[in-house]
Amino acid sequence: MHNLWIGAVLALVVSGGAAAHEGPHDLRRMDFPAPVAGGRILAVDLHTHTVFSDGEVWPTIRVEEARRDGLAAMAVTEHLEYQPRAADIPHPDRNRSYQLSKAAAGESVLIIPGAEITGQMPPGHVNAVFITDANALSRVNPEAAIRTANAQGGFVFWNHPYWSRQQPDGVARLLPLHQSLIAQKQLHGIEVANGADYSESAFRIALDNNLAIIGTSDVHGLVDWDYDVPRGHRTVTLVLAPDGSATAIRKALGENRTAAWYRDSLIGRPAILEQIVRASLTLAPGGYAEGSKVLTAVVKNTSPVRYLLRVRSPQALYNSTDIVTVPPHGEAQIQVTGGVTPANLSLDFEILNTLVAPRQPLVLNLKPKAP
Ligand SMILES: [Zn+2]
Ligand SMILES: [Zn+2]
């Protein structure tokens, strides 16, 4: 986390003085503005642990963290096969942490039933969410548990597929079991980001195999211990859904309407990231510098994401280099030379904190909204 924080400070320095202002918002909360096309952008965490497997907290604490973070939904996904606290906290009913979380959450956060199928590679670790009974998954081997989760209507995704404890070179690769599960539509998503980790090989697998792009915290301790909150935030999946209901989120996951939000980066397919960026950023003319034809363009950010932009338009810039930071719930003022007017203002950007494929940022044009 610290390296990233230093990177953000450097980014501010190299932005060459473009005015940037932080707003008064609660920067901890992961609330997003609505996409232009309608619906919602929902932050969800589909991979967490409590004392009911190898986590450090009771389910009520997970729920309170989720409420404070402004999550729309969370799954508590205990290891089925790994139960290091069973002597102290015996719980023959594997739905218990879900039940306690749901009771604690009330209407504040949607709690999704789930479990972590914890196998050797292959299949490795696999999360099943939107299941109806974790007990049925705990009685069979990992491959059968995946099939049982599917029979329950679950959404199934491969966890940390690059994990160096199971892939010593740290590279995710599909084995024949994964390939057959994908072909049979039994494996629907893959973590490209898990906690502090990001995997280019997992991202490539997601794109090449039409899998949902997932980011999760996999938190075991406290979110505030693992992330520099509120400067940092837990790793989550952003889901584009018509509303925040369980039905809408489940359907959106199945249709790959997801992106991972990891550190400052948004990772996803171009059409999804474009919707998130367009919901977040607006461009407006801010008037001329006194007695001049140097136009100020204001990029306003109404999201909790810290954006890093590269201006690709050819006009020379006056108060910044081509690299501009737009803070969460803040704005950046970019002064543009070359006779640009409020009527013809239009800027091309590389959104440097986005990835539409490994090492490839989203490129888009922003224009002021028609009055
Ligand atoms: Zn795991
Ligand atoms: Zn886990």
Side-chain angles (χ1 to χ4, degrees):
M1 287 287 120
H2 288 286
N3 286 344
L4 184 85
W5 188 83
I6 290 163
V9 171
L10 286 174
L12 279 168
V13 171
V14 299
S15 72
H21 305 286
E22 301 267 358
H25 291 258
D26 179 354
L27 294 178
R28 176 174 191 127
R29 291 187 60 82
M30 295 189 267
D31 297 322
F32 281 75
V36 179
R40 293 180 63 189
I41 299 168
L42 305 162
V44 309
D45 189 355
L46 299 175
H47 190 168
T48 72
H49 295 276
T50 78
V51 290
F52 284 84
S53 58
D54 61 345
E56 305 290 340
V57 305
W58 196 257
T60 48
I61 303 300
R62 281 283 166 267
V63 171
E64 179 61 14
E65 288 174 325
R67 196 187 62 73
R68 289 178 187 223
D69 285 351
L71 293 187
M74 176 181 70
V76 179
T77 52
E78 310 296 1
H79 295 284
L80 293 173
E81 295 84 354
Y82 180 54
Q83 289 279 314
R85 304 195 208 291
D88 293 316
I89 307 174
H91 63 294
D93 181 357
R94 296 306 185 82
N95 299 312
R96 197 64 192 131
S97 68
Y98 163 70
Q99 293 162 354
L100 291 167
S101 301
K102 187 162 172 53
E107 300 296 307
S108 64
V109 181
L110 175 71
I111 304 298
I112 297 165
E116 181 166 10
I117 300 161
T118 313
Q120 305 287 316
M121 189 72 81
H125 294 195
V126 173
N127 263 16
V129 294
F130 291 100
I131 55 174
T132 54
D133 179 16
N135 293 319
L137 278 61
S138 74
R139 290 191 282 264
V140 293
N141 70 36
E143 189 183 338
I146 290 170
R147 296 188 190 283
T148 304
N150 273 276
Q152 293 182 5
F155 176 82
V156 178
F157 60 94
W158 189 6
N159 299 342
H160 44 74
Y162 54 83
W163 191 30
S164 56
R165 294 253 292 271
Q166 293 189 326
Q167 299 280 25
D169 63 1
V171 175
R173 56 178 67 80
L174 292 175
L175 297 168
L177 176 59
H178 302 115
Q179 287 167 335
S180 75
L181 289 169
I182 291 168
Q184 295 163 37
K185 304 213 181 304
Q186 301 268 309
L187 185 62
H188 316 118
I190 184 169
E191 285 182 346
V192 303
N194 169 298
D197 304 334
Y198 159 66
S199 169
E200 290 186 339
S201 48
F203 188 17
R204 178 48 62 197
I205 288 171
L207 296 175
D208 291 349
N209 294 275
N210 202 29
L211 298 176
I213 291 165
I214 302 292
T216 69
S217 72
D218 198 1
V219 65
H220 288 71
L222 290 170
V223 168
D224 286 47
W225 290 356
D226 289 0
Y227 301 92
D228 182 20
V229 178
R231 170 59 189 78
H233 62 89
R234 73 168 86 191
T235 304
V236 291
T237 305
L238 301 180
V239 178
L240 274 66
D243 58 65
S245 67
T247 308
I249 292 173
R250 172 68 185 87
K251 187 161 183 287
L253 288 169
E255 294 171 355
N256 293 352
R257 282 187 275 123
T258 65
W261 183 22
Y262 162 77
R263 306 197 185 206
D264 283 343
S265 292
L266 297 167
I267 303 158
R269 294 178 169 83
I272 298 296
L273 290 195
E274 180 163 349
Q275 288 191 64
I276 295 170
V277 174
R278 289 196 182 282
S280 305
L281 301 180
T282 54
L283 181 70
Y288 292 104
E290 198 177 344
S292 81
K293 289 183 176 171
V294 176
L295 185 74
T296 298
V298 181
V299 182
K300 189 173 178 196
N301 178 8
T302 50
S303 85
V305 175
R306 182 174 303 272
Y307 280 95
L308 186 63
L309 315 181
R310 183 197 297 277
V311 182
R312 286 170 44 123
S313 300
Q315 294 85 2
L317 306 177
Y318 196 83
N319 68 334
S320 70
T321 68
D322 57 336
I323 307 293
V324 177
T325 298
V326 195
H329 300 290
E331 64 180 44
Q333 300 190 358
I334 306 169
Q335 292 182 317
V336 188
T337 68
V340 174
T341 68
N344 69 11
L345 176 62
S346 165
L347 292 173
D348 293 326
F349 293 101
E350 264 177 276
I351 315 296
L352 295 178
N353 63 309
T354 61
L355 290 166
V356 294
R359 313 219 180 183
Q360 186 186 329
L362 179 73
V363 175
L364 56 69
N365 172 272
L366 290 179
K367 285 187 182 66
K369 250 188 267 168

